[in-house]
Amino acid sequence: MSESTMSAAGEAPGLAAVSHTAAAEMHAQDSESESEESEMAEAPARDSAAEIPVTSNGEDVKHMMTGGPTLKETRIVSSSYGNPSEGIIEAEPYRGGLKSIQSGPVVITDDISKNIALEKLEQVKKWSISTYKCTRQVLSERLGRGSKTVDLELESQIEILRDTKKRYENLLRLARQMATQFYQVVQTQRQLGDAFGELSVKSLELHEEFGYNAETQKLLCKNGETLLGAINFFISSVNTLVNKTIEDTLIAVKHYENARIEYDAYRTDLEELNLGPRDAVTIPKIEQSQLQFQIHKEKFDKLRGSVSVKLKFLDENKIKVMHNQLLLFHNAVSAYFAGNQHQLEQVLKQFHIKLKAPGSDGPSWLEEQ
């Protein structure tokens, strides 16, 4: 072997070792460059996540959470020595999340609902106490144990009014019954007149006789309708007096009687408290009872005066209305049975009563009752 060959052979191992070391250094530099490039790629994402603006209403935060880029959670993945991925930072979606912030006015309803509930509860409490006191007062009066405030003059007027209402209701019932029965008589007279008229045409030997009766029945039917108009007006006026005017007054009387019961109930309660001992516990109760008694006394006096006035005006109105209606009824009935057709028509004109035109399509006055 020549010297040149041995020299080349002796230097070859050294070159191989040097090349292997250079390759290792180049591999390490490549790994470091890849790690730096990975960090540089992740830096904008971290910078953008760190620079999220925050405003007072939270809209920007909400936008970034919903429509913007997803916030990432970074972690370092450990691996064994020599793994090519060693030192690489991986990213995963952030699972914690931020709660969305709602903006707008805040309405507190708990306090409002609580106040309404307390007011209703207080109203129910007052109503229960008042009902209990009034019920106790009524029972004590019926059993003869409690005292009752009585206005003798006003009570007698109220009793007369109730008795008058019952009598007028009976009068109204009889007048309606008379109108119904008389209406049937008038219809029968009309049919009888038509039958007489047909027979007067077909029976030549009795033409005049049938004709006279036909004319008489038709005249009675016409006068009967006039009388029915007067009776109908009488019924309508009495019905208004009984079921409107008198009934309204009796409703006011009912309110007065309820106020009287409340007044006596609180009066009895105050008297019982005054008979008991006076100490730090009972004195506030007495003062409260005195206040309630005064309130109900004023209400009772006010309604008593109102009922007295209503009874006075009702009596005057009743006399005026019944005077006219009784005069109408008497004159109409007398003129009808006397056969005075002219007087019967004058009665209707006097009281401005208009009869329904014959053959009209509207319902009769009896059908309207």
Side-chain angles (χ1 to χ4, degrees), residues 35 38-39 42 46 72-80 83 85-92:
S35 176
S38 175
E39 291 177 355
E42 290 293 329
R46 290 195 301 269
K72 301 293 184 175
E73 179 185 24
T74 60
R75 65 184 179 88
I76 299 174
V77 180
S78 60
S79 60
S80 61
N83 194 332
S85 62
E86 180 181 0
I88 297 176
I89 301 175
E90 296 183 355
E92 293 182 356

Side-chain angles (χ1 to χ4, degrees), residues 8-25:
E11 295 175 356
L15 292 173
V18 171
S19 62
H20 178 73
T21 304
E25 292 177 355

Side-chain angles (χ1 to χ4, degrees), residues 225-235 328 332 347-348 353 355:
E225 290 178 348
T226 306
L227 178 61
L228 281 174
I231 297 175
N232 177 39
F233 188 78
F234 173 82
I235 292 173
L328 163 69
V347 170
L348 268 66
I353 302 173
L355 298 178

